[in-house]
Amino acid sequence: MNKIKVAVDAMGGDFAPLNDVSGAIIAAEEKKDSLEIILVGKENLINEELKKHKIGLSNISVVNAADVITMHDSPTDSLKTKSDSSISVGINLVKDKKADAFISAGNTGAVMTASILKLGRIKGVGRPTIGSLFPTDKGKTMVFDVGASVDCKPNHLLEFAVMGSIYMKNVYGIEKPKIALLSVGEEKSKGDNLTIEAYELLERSGLNFIGNVEGRDVLRGKADIIVCDGFVGNVILKFAESVLDVMKSKFKAYADKGFLKKI
C-alpha cells in the first residue's frame, strides 16, 4: 500500500515547532504503514525538537524553509516577501507532487491565498471553505464556512454543502450526511436573499438536505453539516470559543464564595 505523504507546517500555531512536531510524531507512530510526514520549517529547530523525543521514525522527514509567516503578516504581501516560508514551501511540495496534502495551524489567510495561487481551484469550486467541528448532544456537527469567504453567493453555499458532504463521508464514514442551512427560522421562506436562494439550490441538489436550522440548533445535533456564509460562521465559532472561558470564570467565582460552594 502506498503511503499518504502529508507536509506539515512545523512553524505554524502556538509554541511552534513544539506542538507541531509532537503531533506529527503521534500521527507517525499510529499510522506507520500508511502515513509519511514531511515537517517543513527551520530545519535546526525541528531537528532539536525531534531529538527531545528520542525516537527514530522512518516515516518522518524534514524539509528546510528559512522564513516564517506570522499571524500578523498580510497574507498576500507575505507570499511575495517570504517566498521561502514554511507555508510556501509546503504548498509547493503538493504542487510538485512530492506531497499529497499540506496542513498548517498558522496564518489561515496565507494558507488559503497560497493554495489558490499555487494549486488553483478544483473544477466546480468557486470559493474555498473552512469547516469547524462542533460537539453536540448527539455527536458532532461540521459548520461550513467559518471564515474563508465572508461574502458569498447562493451557489457558494451549495458548493460548501457538496464539499462538506464528501468530507463527512470519507473522514467520518457518514454515508449520507444530513445537511442543514443556517437561518433565522426553520420555514423555507425565512432568511435573507442569500439563504432563501441557497435553500432552493440545496433542495434540488440531490444531497440529503433537511431544511433550515436556527442558531440554537447548532449544538443539538440536528444535522451532520450546517452551511452558512463565512461571516456568520466565524461569529458563531468565536462566540462558541468564548463560552467555556466564561463558564470557567463563573464556576471559579462561585466556588470562591465559600468552602461548601467549592465542594
Side-chain angles (χ1 to χ4, degrees):
M1 180 177 68
N2 291 330
K3 290 184 178 181
I4 297 172
K5 296 181 180 180
V6 178
V8 177
D9 175 12
M11 311 310 295
D14 297 329
F15 311 112
L18 187 153
N19 291 336
D20 309 88
V21 172
S22 298
I25 289 172
I26 292 170
E29 287 182 317
E30 288 182 358
K31 302 289 183 180
K32 287 181 182 178
D33 299 326
S34 60
L35 183 65
E36 183 178 326
I37 295 175
I38 307 167
L39 291 167
V40 185
K42 295 187 176 182
E43 194 170 17
N44 59 325
L45 296 180
I46 296 171
N47 284 328
E48 281 178 21
E49 204 59 48
L50 285 169
K51 286 177 184 176
K52 291 179 185 177
H53 291 269
K54 297 178 181 179
I55 189 167
L57 289 165
S58 60
N59 57 336
I60 290 184
S61 58
V62 179
V63 170
N64 187 56
D67 296 326
V68 177
I69 296 177
T70 71
M71 302 301 284
H72 304 291
D73 287 332
S74 163
T76 50
D77 292 344
S78 60
L79 292 174
K80 298 174 185 175
T81 59
K82 297 182 176 181
S83 58
D84 195 32
S85 69
S86 52
I87 289 175
S88 288
V89 172
I91 289 175
N92 280 334
L93 289 173
V94 177
K95 182 181 178 181
D96 297 336
K97 309 295 184 185
K98 295 178 181 178
D100 301 305
F102 175 68
I103 296 174
S104 176
N107 189 314
T108 305
V111 173
M112 187 180 74
T113 303
S115 298
I116 292 172
L117 293 175
K118 294 174 181 290
L119 303 177
R121 297 182 179 91
I122 298 171
K123 186 178 180 181
V125 176
R127 293 275 181 89
T129 184
I130 299 173
S132 185
L133 198 65
F134 284 72
T136 73
D137 55 8
K138 296 180 181 178
K140 52 186 165 289
T141 290
M142 285 285 283
V143 177
F144 296 90
D145 177 55
V146 294
S149 303
V150 294
D151 294 308
C152 294
K153 295 178 180 178
N155 61 294
H156 296 142
L157 299 192
L158 173 61
E159 292 170 5
F160 298 164
V162 172
M163 289 188 281
S165 186
I166 293 168
Y167 181 86
M168 292 300 277
K169 179 180 177 180
N170 286 278
V171 175
Y172 292 106
I174 303 172
E175 192 61 33
K176 289 188 70 177
K178 291 184 288 185
I179 299 166
L181 181 64
L182 188 63
S183 189
V184 295
E186 295 183 356
E187 298 87 351
K188 180 178 178 179
S189 59
K190 291 290 183 73
D192 56 9
N193 290 334
L194 172 64
T195 52
I196 290 171
E197 291 179 35
Y199 192 108
E200 296 287 345
L201 294 177
L202 288 163
E203 197 174 35
R204 301 194 304 265
S205 66
L207 297 168
N208 189 13
F209 178 57
I210 63 171
N212 287 342
V213 293
E214 300 178 72
R216 64 187 176 189
D217 299 316
V218 174
L219 302 181
R220 289 181 174 175
K222 285 190 173 183
D224 301 304
I225 297 163
I226 295 177
V227 178
C228 59
D229 68 89
F231 183 91
V232 173
N234 192 260
V235 170
I236 291 172
L237 177 63
K238 297 297 171 60
F239 174 76
E241 289 173 346
S242 72
V243 171
L244 185 59
D245 289 334
V246 173
M247 289 179 66
K248 283 165 64 178
S249 65
K250 290 289 185 183
F251 279 127
K252 186 178 184 302
Y254 181 81
D256 288 344
K257 289 179 179 179
F259 181 71
L260 290 177
K261 286 184 170 61
K262 193 181 295 288
I263 291 174

